[in-house]
Amino acid sequence: MSALLRTAVLVSCCSLANGFSTPDNQVHSGEQSDIPTWLSDRLLAFDLKADTFESTGRGLQTLRDRNHGDLLLSVSESAAVTASSLIQQFPNIFQPAIQASIEKYQKSFTEEQVMALGLLILRDKDDPYVQSLPIQQFSVLTMPQEIFSCFPSTYQRLIQAYEQYTQGLHEKLIGSLEGVDSKTLKLAQSPKDFLWAFATVRSRCLAVSDDDIVGTSANGEAFASNKDGSRRVMLPGFDLFNHRFGAKGNSDFKDGHYVFHSHDTYKKGEQVFISYSSENGRDNLNMFMTYGFCPTDNPESMLCFDNQNLLEACASARPAYFNAQVLQQLEELLAKLGKNKELYVFDGSAKKAQSSLINGIAMMEDIEKQFLPPSQPQDPDFANDVLQALLFVRQQELERGLGLCGSMNWSSENTSWQPIVQSIQTLLSIELENVSSPTANSICET
């Protein structure tokens, strides 16, 4: 059965459980290896060549004119890197380690744990594809504190939650390897090496239908699938395509090959693009957390707020009702209800609160009603006042963050982070434009 491939949408702005990573090939090249001869030859077979472009850094150039429907690239299944292929390639490592994880933590490895460990094993064996990957990932997990401080408080907490998530994955991986394989344990011991492998997996994978890639073991599945039932796959050469909104094409799995056809036309010498965005779009926070850059032409602009932001806005709008004691009780209640990881979204492009934010403020309004005197059963301005308090604080945070970005001192030790800071400036500037002149003043507008 042929399965539709799509660029992996592995991060959601509205889920603290998901993690974030940054890539290397668009705008921020980082310390990347030269294109090896074997990969250049493979690209040349499809009239493609790796080149450096002023606007994007390294990308793929077409060596001939291309029409709608032309084949851009085909990669054999044998060249693909998947969790299944890694388990099959190194069964003496993965099978006992996965079994140890099940016995010790009552959970199998995640797909990302398998692939991250697999990359470290392949790197140790001088695998040609892994040797061609960048030797450094500029990730939100490894950014200096001065850069981290530029983000609004919500995004700082998102990053901290992701740090805890990846740390947990690493600790469980190490715990599963102890007493099983000392050599592999040594390869995976370093948090820095694990983060490199993990960030590489996150930024370079495609999501593929589970019909084509299935991992099994004696106890059922060898690793946990994604929520949508897809699997991750890394394809040599495909991960060199840069992003452009509106780039059209389709990917498929056919006759043992992953194939990609473009629906755009290109002249000889032009850079060929794909779209990293899903059908529903991808806002700049999502783009930055996943790929490490923020397009200035992104049609989507979503501002995320968490429970702490919402409670603080309520305290600012109605301090008589939402005092410190009430806020603490509400934090505990939200945690008991499993809502402590909720995010609330304001659509900056449309200047409207999305349903998550509307419902979050409505929940707070129901709580406020318990404090209202009998003579005032309603507070018609509550929702809009809370929204304006949210946007006002975010505006202050964005202005502060842009000031920090602009005042950074660059040296030979940290200059490699400049492209990342430039993307953060783009992210903050666009958000600031959207919160400082909202045209939708009513929370009721949808």
Side-chain angles (χ1 to χ4, degrees):
M1 177 179 176
S2 177
L4 181 67
L5 284 169
R6 61 197 180 280
T7 302
V9 182
L10 304 177
V11 178
S12 169
C13 174
C14 300
S15 174
L16 281 169
N18 286 344
F20 312 120
S21 63
T22 60
D24 46 271
N25 63 316
Q26 179 139 357
V27 179
H28 189 198
S29 59
E31 297 180 28
Q32 55 192 12
S33 305
D34 293 333
I35 299 293
T37 302
W38 66 267
L39 184 52
S40 295
D41 291 344
R42 181 174 294 180
L43 294 170
L44 190 60
F46 297 93
D47 297 314
L48 293 170
K49 183 182 103 172
D51 204 348
T52 301
F53 298 86
E54 183 178 353
S55 60
T56 64
R58 190 167 69 181
L60 291 181
Q61 179 189 63
T62 178
L63 301 179
R64 62 174 174 84
D65 292 348
R66 294 183 182 271
N67 298 316
H68 180 284
D70 276 7
L71 174 67
L72 281 182
L73 190 64
S74 175
V75 181
S76 68
E77 186 177 16
S78 62
V81 178
T82 68
S84 294
S85 69
L86 290 166
I87 291 173
Q88 293 169 8
Q89 189 173 356
F90 306 108
N92 294 335
I93 296 175
F94 280 106
Q95 289 178 1
I98 289 173
Q99 187 60 39
S101 177
I102 294 172
E103 293 174 358
K104 193 169 186 177
Y105 304 108
Q106 291 73 54
K107 286 184 178 180
S108 179
F109 282 174
T110 68
E111 187 182 31
E112 291 172 318
Q113 283 175 304
V114 173
M115 295 188 72
L117 179 58
L119 287 188
L120 293 174
I121 296 171
L122 290 172
R123 186 175 70 172
D124 183 62
K125 296 181 178 297
D126 295 327
D127 176 81
Y129 173 50
V130 177
Q131 291 296 314
S132 74
L133 297 174
I135 61 176
Q136 182 176 359
Q137 284 282 358
F138 292 89
S139 167
V140 294
L141 298 171
T142 58
M143 68 174 56
Q145 179 64 33
E146 62 178 342
I147 297 179
F148 172 82
S149 300
C150 296
F151 288 98
S153 58
T154 309
Y155 304 159
Q156 291 184 16
R157 289 189 285 271
L158 285 172
I159 295 171
Q160 290 169 340
Y162 182 45
E163 288 174 344
Q164 296 173 3
Y165 171 75
T166 53
Q167 182 180 352
L169 290 181
H170 185 226
E171 290 174 351
K172 289 181 174 62
L173 181 66
I174 295 303
S176 301
L177 288 169
E178 289 176 344
V180 173
D181 189 310
S182 59
K183 181 180 179 180
T184 307
L185 174 62
K186 187 176 181 180
L187 291 177
Q189 194 82 47
S190 165
K192 180 180 178 181
D193 288 340
F194 177 77
L195 289 178
W196 168 83
F198 189 84
T200 299
V201 170
R202 277 285 173 116
S203 61
R204 288 181 172 268
C205 279
L206 302 176
V208 189
S209 168
D210 208 13
D211 293 336
D212 289 311
I213 300 178
V214 180
T216 60
S217 65
N219 68 308
E221 295 212 53
F223 50 87
S225 64
N226 300 316
K227 292 181 179 179
D228 61 359
S230 65
R231 300 292 187 186
R232 292 175 172 86
V233 56
M234 295 175 67
L235 302 175
F238 192 90
D239 49 10
L240 294 176
F241 285 111
N242 279 326
H243 162 80
R244 184 175 68 190
F245 284 112
K248 295 180 174 59
N250 72 284
S251 303
D252 207 352
F253 182 81
K254 186 177 181 181
D255 298 329
H257 286 75
Y258 299 94
V259 295
F260 185 80
H261 293 83
S262 174
H263 293 172
D264 295 317
T265 59
Y266 294 95
K267 295 294 184 181
K268 178 180 177 180
E270 291 183 336
Q271 182 176 185
V272 179
F273 293 92
I274 63 174
S275 176
Y276 295 1
S277 178
S278 68
E279 293 179 0
N280 296 323
R282 175 169 282 191
D283 61 272
N284 264 351
L285 175 63
N286 203 320
M287 292 291 291
F288 177 76
M289 293 297 192
T290 314
Y291 301 114
F293 67 93
C294 293
T296 58
D297 61 343
N298 194 336
E300 298 288 336
S301 178
M302 302 296 174
L303 286 69
C304 295
F305 303 92
D306 60 14
N307 278 324
Q308 185 169 332
N309 298 137
L310 184 60
L311 292 174
E312 290 173 352
C314 290
S316 175
R318 297 293 184 272
Y321 303 141
F322 292 88
N323 56 40
Q325 182 179 358
V326 171
L327 293 183
Q328 182 177 350
Q329 292 174 345
L330 288 176
E331 286 180 3
E332 295 172 354
L333 176 61
L334 290 170
K336 289 181 180 179
L337 295 175
K339 294 183 177 293
N340 54 314
K341 294 183 179 180
E342 292 288 317
L343 288 182
Y344 310 98
V345 182
F346 180 83
D347 186 340
S349 302
K351 304 294 193 298
K352 292 180 181 178
Q354 288 199 334
S355 59
S356 59
L357 180 53
I358 293 174
N359 294 336
I361 294 179
M363 176 176 63
M364 293 296 107
E365 189 170 13
D366 287 338
I367 293 171
E368 188 219 18
K369 289 178 181 177
Q370 301 176 31
F371 300 104
L372 294 175
S375 59
Q376 184 190 350
Q378 300 292 331
D379 183 356
D381 297 325
F382 177 83
N384 290 325
D385 289 347
V386 171
L387 174 61
Q388 295 307 315
L390 276 172
L391 297 180
F392 176 74
V393 171
R394 176 58 58 85
Q395 179 178 342
Q396 290 183 315
E397 290 184 321
L398 294 170
E399 291 172 346
R400 180 193 60 82
L402 285 169
L404 291 174
C405 287
S407 62
M408 284 188 184
N409 295 317
W410 297 105
S411 65
S412 58
E413 295 181 357
N414 66 0
T415 187
S416 296
W417 288 96
Q418 278 186 300
I420 289 293
V421 173
Q422 290 170 359
S423 281
I424 295 174
Q425 287 175 307
T426 297
L427 169 68
L428 301 184
S429 296
I430 292 175
E431 284 205 7
L432 180 60
E433 180 181 350
N434 288 326
V435 300
S436 54
S437 58
T439 57
N441 293 317
S442 174
I443 193 79
C444 299
E445 293 187 36
T446 58

